[in-house]
């Protein structure tokens, strides 16, 4: 009796431990389509997050108190609550508040832009403050006003210095993008889960998307190192 | 607008006070700088000479007192400070060139951005100025490739590109290796020959003596002596100036 149970268990284990990617081969194109969605999602969010983060960082170094306090409070809220909660709030609460039936993709892009904006603003703020005050003084002494001074003199230098930190932000964004699978966007992770549910095999599709995420992160890391070296040489 | 009738006065300073917190750095300074005059400001460190100079283009905001440039009170909050600064060039101890722009771009930037001069004209003007400071061949080089003396000459060209009537120099040779001091002083001498009004904070006594029309000796936030170079260096009146000269000469 006992022996029988052991036999059943061990048989069961052996059968399940058998990795077989052939089983999900027909679904690989379906999963890879998710890569396009994940990338699109990351790029758009990174773009708007960067713009918003730049504006927020200027708020935070502004001498106008309302802007300063807004920047501070905004960052505090978006860094102080879980991303998944923010995502759910925007996805599920927007239709209730406005009647607009927001798609998972839209909700994701909005949440991630707003959220990464908060993190990026801190990075850019630090980058701006690290620029020698003499740069500002030189620009001012030439009669250059605030706006062109920021755009042409301060920000280009600041962004060059904080490039590694910005790449880290994009990497975080890329990985966090997997959260949109919880609100129905068909990204990499969601598609892996769908395939798993259809075929009753989870390990292969999940392992596959993990490797894809890892490769994308590596590509970002390596290209940022190359870019950094090139910038260093030019300066 | 104007409550200064004397047309020969480029800068008039009236009871200028500057405090940082409870520390009073400038104590009711009043003086005038005439058009085309070259004034050397000297004095021990902490005497307030750099702060004084930086007040003249409002990089430091005076705590009280008035400053007039070309008869316009620049300390009046209604005055367009940026407009004023276009006419008052400044050269810094640490150059502060824009490191991400080539030498030529450093010089072209403000005329194009502030005065809306065409790129072509700005480039031509910048090339002329570079030739004037003896660095024509460095036009397309980034500042990091230049020596300190070269950087400072580019910084002078950058300030001159705005065609100011007044130039302020804040210890322009203090950050330089000794063998580079002369090339910068020579360029500054060239600038004086064009009739520029100049205020120079400096530790170069030779330069002050040879080039300046007038010495302002600052001590403890006050003008302790206001004299011609000859008077100042041969027969200083104040004890503090005597002590200062004994230490450095």
């Amino acid at each position: 009796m006992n022996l029988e149970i052991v036999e059943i268990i061990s048989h069961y284990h052996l059968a399940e431990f058998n990795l077989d990617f052939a089983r999900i081969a027909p679904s690989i194109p379906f999963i890879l389509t998710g890569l396009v969605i994940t990338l699109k999602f990351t790029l758009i969010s990174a773009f708007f997050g960067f713009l918003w983060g730049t504006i927020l960082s200027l708020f935070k170094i502004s001498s106008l108190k309302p802007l300063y306090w807004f920047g501070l409070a905004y960052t505090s809220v978006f860094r102080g609550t879980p991303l998944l909660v923010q995502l759910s709030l925007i996805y599920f609460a927007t239709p209730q508040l406005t009647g607009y039936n927001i798609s998972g993709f839209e909700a994701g892009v909005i949440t991630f832009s707003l959220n990464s904006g908060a993190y990026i603003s801190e990075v850019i703020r630090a980058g701006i403050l690290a620029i020698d005050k003499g740069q500002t003084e030189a620009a001012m002494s030439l009669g250059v006003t605030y706006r062109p001074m920021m755009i042409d003199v301060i920000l280009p230098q600041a962004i060059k210095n904080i490039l590694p930190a910005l790449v880290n932000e994009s990497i975080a964004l890329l990985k966090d993008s997997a959260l949109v699978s919880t609100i129905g966007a068909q990204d990499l992770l969601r598609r892996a889960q769908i395939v798993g549910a259809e075929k009753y095999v989870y390990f292969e599709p999940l392992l596959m998307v993990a490797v894809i995420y890892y490769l994308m992160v590596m590509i970002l890391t390596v290209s940022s190192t190359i870019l950094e070296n090139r910038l260093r040489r030019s300066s | 607008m104007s409550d200064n009738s004397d047309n020969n006065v480029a800068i008039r300073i009236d009871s200028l006070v500057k405090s940082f917190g409870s520390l009073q750095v400038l104590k009711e300074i009043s003086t005038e700088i005439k058009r085309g005059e070259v004034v050397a400001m000297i004095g021990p460190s902490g005497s307030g000479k750099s702060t004084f100079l930086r007040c003249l283009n409002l990089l430091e905001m005076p705590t009280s007192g008035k400053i007039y440039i070309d008869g316009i009170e620049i300390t009046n909050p209604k005055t367009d400070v940026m407009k004023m600064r276009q006419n008052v060039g400044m050269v810094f101890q640490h150059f502060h060139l824009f490191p991400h722009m080539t030498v030529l771009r450093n010089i072209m930037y403000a005329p194009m951005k502030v005065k809306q001069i065409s790129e072509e004209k700005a480039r031509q003007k910048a090339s002329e100025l570079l030739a004037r400071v003896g660095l024509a061949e460095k036009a397309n080089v980034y500042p990091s490739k230049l020596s300190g003396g070269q950087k400072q000459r580019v910084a002078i060209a950058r300030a001159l590109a705005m065609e100011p009537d007044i130039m302020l120099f804040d210890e322009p040779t203090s950050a330089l290796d000794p063998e580079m001091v002369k090339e910068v002083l020579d360029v500054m001498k060239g600038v004086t020959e064009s009739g520029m009004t100049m205020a120079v904070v400096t530790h170069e006594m030779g330069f002050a003596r040879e080039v300046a029309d007038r010495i302002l000796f600052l001590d403890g936030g006050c003008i302790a002596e206001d004299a011609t170079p000859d008077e100042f260096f041969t027969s200083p009146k104040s004890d503090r100036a005597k002590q200062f000269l004994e230490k450095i000469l």
Side-chain angles (χ1 to χ4, degrees), chain B residues 32-33 37-41 198-201 212-216:
Chain B
E32 284 180 354
I33 296 176
E37 195 173 33
V38 178
V39 177
M41 299 176 185
M198 284 169 55
V200 185
V201 171
D213 300 312
R214 186 173 151 210
I215 306 282
L216 287 182

Side-chain angles (χ1 to χ4, degrees), chain A residues 132-146 148-154 156-157 160 233-235, chain B residues 54 57 59-60 82 85-86 88-90 92 95-101 109-110 113-114 142 144-145 158-159 162:
Chain A
D132 185 353
K133 204 165 146 264
Q135 292 289 308
T136 316
E137 291 187 348
M140 287 199 305
S141 77
L142 290 162
V144 179
T145 48
Y146 182 80
M149 174 180 86
M150 274 297 164
I151 293 171
D152 301 327
V153 177
I154 305 299
Q157 296 182 58
K160 188 170 149 183
R233 230 174 299 142
S234 83
S235 67
Chain B
R54 288 163 57 83
N57 67 349
L59 281 186
E60 299 292 351
M82 288 303 163
R85 285 185 181 137
Q86 292 177 34
V88 182
M90 186 159 196
F92 301 86
F95 333 122
H96 301 323
L97 294 177
F98 305 133
H100 58 303
M101 299 182 193
Y109 174 67
K113 210 61 178 189
V114 180
Y142 282 90
S144 59
K145 298 271 182 278
R158 179 177 68 174
M162 290 298 285

